[in-house]
Amino acid sequence: MLTDREVLSTLNMLRNEHLDVRTVTLGISLFDCAAHDFDVFAYKVRAKISRYAGRLVETCNDVADKYGIPVVNKRISVSPIGVVGASFSREEMVKACRVLDEAAKNAGVDFLGGFGALVEKGMTPGERNLIDSLPEALACTDRICSSINVASSRSGINMDAVALMGQRILDVAEATRDRDGIGCAKLVVFANIPQDVPFMAGAYLGVGEPDVVINVGVSGPGVVKKAIDRAMAAGKADGGITLGEVAEVIKRTAYKVTRVGEIIGKEVADRLGLPFGVADLSLAPPPAVGDSVGEIFQSVGLSSIGAPGSTAVLAMLNDAVKKGGAFASSHVGGLSGAFIPVSEDSSIEAATRSGALSLEKLEAMTSVCSVGLDMIAIPGDTPAATISGMIADEMAIGMINSKTTAVRVIPVPGKGVGDSACFGGLLGEAAIIAVPGGDASSFIKLGGRIPAPIHSLKN
């Protein structure tokens, strides 16, 4: 239970510090909708999503009004369609994407995730058809997100899938050329993807999950920043503050934010008669000024994110958020850490625009953050092999360190370094930054699998 002092502190977070619940995500298993006849599949999918998601938005709004805490996004995640639609052709995969998009619109949710595949060790014909359908599928729909898992610490890296995704990312960008390649903002390539992610674009419902479940994604980078600012000001008055004390402030703040998110998520689940799954306590910034992960780096003394010391600050932030959140909830899941999405964070975007933060530094920081290279606009003429090489590097960080990493880069057709791309809404905008030089094409053409590290033999 929260004390009176913590309740007052939480009210202050609401009024002045951008506290919200970033997403309530309804997970729906579609395995019982699988059918060789596409029309049967489509009927079952529409019926099941309608049955469970019909009251989701209304219920989230009612609970948000009751507590005075905004629920910013209402979303749906489904079983990986590469598995559910294993018998589908490429054309049927596109049709399946349209069915899901229609169902999402009818439910009134912001996004639906799960149009993806798990190909870390190999690829079935159905999964290959899904990946080949991505350019058309993501271009002709509005609310569908796709995640493709190409690596894991237990299986290694599927370099054939990595090579394929480098090309498909370019294809998706070209298919949405008129919107600055926005289709790529809804497509992410993962290593070690969790089965219960409520955040997009990676959300899907794994094979070990319940038939229907409510997962909640909390956030609050603005809350964390203000808490650090207060502690730093008080520390100066008292003779100084150490980084250990800053970490304690972050931990305590993450506890409060996670408790709020779990209260909201559990009440939504109770009202819908569904089980509550996990609280994902990731710090997920919107483009709004004042609610930024990047600004936290300035609060602890760096000129901006990207300055020497940034990786150390991010490691401290990520660890403290996990510790505070884990104490607040018995069911922490998803990604749970700090996101550094370039276009979605005004401070991070400004650092890339000024040159303070490069792609190479972003890659280094992903070794300690929650996701990876996220929402980064790159030149539209970037070769597919270069994108595949970037994916391979990021997958290696995840595989070796037994952590989740991902790549969501956006080659912007017709634009180059220094130009800007605008994606709108929570996706924000970004200056296009340079990619590393050199040629990876011969390496990528080798294909096959990079073996899993020796620690994969844990059992």
Side-chain angles (χ1 to χ4, degrees):
M1 298 293 293
L2 295 175
T3 65
D4 290 344
R5 182 175 178 182
E6 287 172 328
V7 169
L8 291 173
S9 173
T10 302
L11 289 174
N12 184 58
M13 291 177 188
L14 287 167
R15 293 188 182 123
N16 303 313
E17 300 170 9
H18 306 284
L19 177 63
D20 56 50
V21 174
R22 189 54 47 87
T23 180
V24 171
T25 301
L26 171 65
I28 304 175
S29 172
L30 299 184
F31 288 123
D32 56 349
C33 300
H36 287 285
D37 186 316
F38 184 86
D39 291 337
V40 173
F41 163 81
Y43 172 80
K44 288 183 175 181
V45 166
R46 290 189 185 101
K48 188 165 187 180
I49 292 178
S50 175
R51 181 164 72 251
Y52 288 108
R55 293 177 47 237
L56 175 65
V57 173
E58 174 191 351
T59 302
C60 287
N61 290 338
D62 288 346
V63 174
D65 290 342
K66 173 183 175 180
Y67 290 100
I69 299 173
V71 177
V72 178
N73 297 290
K74 299 87 176 174
R75 297 165 171 169
I76 296 171
S77 63
V78 299
S79 311
I81 299 301
V83 179
V84 177
S87 64
F88 291 168
S89 65
R90 192 199 74 83
E91 291 73 22
E92 287 174 323
M93 285 295 183
V94 174
K95 289 169 62 179
C97 196
R98 288 180 181 273
V99 168
L100 293 170
D101 193 52
E102 175 193 326
K105 289 176 180 176
N106 289 339
V109 298
D110 304 284
F111 288 110
L112 184 150
F115 189 73
L118 310 173
V119 295
E120 60 268 24
K121 206 169 184 179
M123 198 180 307
T124 66
E127 288 165 333
R128 175 61 190 252
N129 289 335
L130 182 141
I131 292 172
D132 287 344
S133 77
L134 287 172
E136 182 178 354
L138 295 181
C140 71
T141 56
D142 299 315
R143 308 190 187 195
I144 301 304
C145 291
S146 176
S147 54
I148 311 296
N149 195 76
V150 302
S152 74
S153 296
R154 294 300 296 264
S155 301
I157 305 173
N158 182 349
M159 289 300 295
D160 293 326
V162 168
L164 181 60
M165 288 310 302
Q167 183 59 55
R168 288 295 165 270
I169 287 171
L170 283 179
D171 295 339
V172 170
E174 184 60 34
T176 52
R177 167 184 280 268
D178 59 329
R179 291 167 284 166
D180 280 345
I182 195 173
C184 294
K186 299 182 289 180
L187 171 61
V188 58
V189 183
F190 268 97
N192 293 318
I193 186 172
Q195 298 191 58
D196 51 11
V197 182
F199 285 105
M200 299 294 169
Y204 86 106
L205 191 71
V207 296
E209 295 294 304
D211 186 51
V212 189
V213 65
I214 291 288
N215 294 317
V216 64
V218 301
S219 187
V223 175
V224 172
K225 179 191 182 300
K226 292 290 180 63
I228 294 173
D229 288 343
R230 288 193 297 270
M232 296 292 283
K236 286 179 181 177
D238 294 338
I241 184 173
T242 68
L243 287 171
E245 291 167 325
V246 172
E248 186 68 18
V249 169
I250 297 170
K251 185 174 70 174
R252 290 177 179 272
T253 306
Y255 167 81
K256 295 176 187 177
V257 171
T258 305
R259 288 296 293 161
V260 168
E262 183 158 299
I263 288 168
I264 296 291
K266 284 188 172 179
E267 178 140 352
V268 169
D270 287 344
R271 291 191 183 196
L272 292 175
L274 302 174
F276 176 75
V278 301
D280 183 327
L281 46 99
S282 299
L283 296 183
V289 174
D291 199 12
S292 161
V293 169
E295 290 176 10
I296 294 172
F297 291 73
Q298 296 168 307
S299 292
V300 296
L302 296 182
S303 58
S304 74
I305 183 172
S310 295
T311 305
V313 170
L314 186 56
M316 176 185 70
L317 176 64
N318 215 43
D319 179 66
V321 165
K322 290 178 187 289
K323 287 174 177 174
F327 185 67
S329 173
S330 298
H331 303 287
V332 172
L335 295 162
S336 293
F339 290 2
I340 48 172
V342 173
S343 77
E344 296 177 7
D345 187 303
S346 58
S347 179
I348 299 177
E349 197 279 331
T352 61
R353 191 179 292 272
S354 70
L357 183 59
S358 67
L359 191 58
E360 290 85 349
K361 183 61 176 178
L362 279 164
E363 181 182 308
M365 294 172 67
T366 64
S367 64
V368 297
C369 84
S370 227
V371 187
L373 299 175
D374 197 16
M375 288 302 293
I376 301 172
I378 61 175
D381 61 358
T382 303
T386 298
I387 298 174
S388 293
M390 292 164 59
I391 294 172
D393 287 342
E394 200 59 44
M395 300 302 100
I397 290 172
M399 176 184 72
I400 294 295
N401 293 293
S402 296
K403 69 183 294 294
T404 300
T405 53
V407 173
R408 185 163 50 147
V409 295
I410 305 167
V412 183
K415 294 187 177 181
V417 175
D419 294 333
S420 292
C422 183
F423 309 116
L426 283 173
L427 300 175
E429 63 179 274
I432 296 168
I433 63 175
V435 299
D439 182 7
S441 56
S442 295
F443 164 66
I444 297 300
K445 285 178 182 176
L446 292 174
R449 281 170 51 209
I450 293 179
I454 188 66
H455 60 240
S456 69
L457 297 178
K458 286 190 251 181
N459 193 354

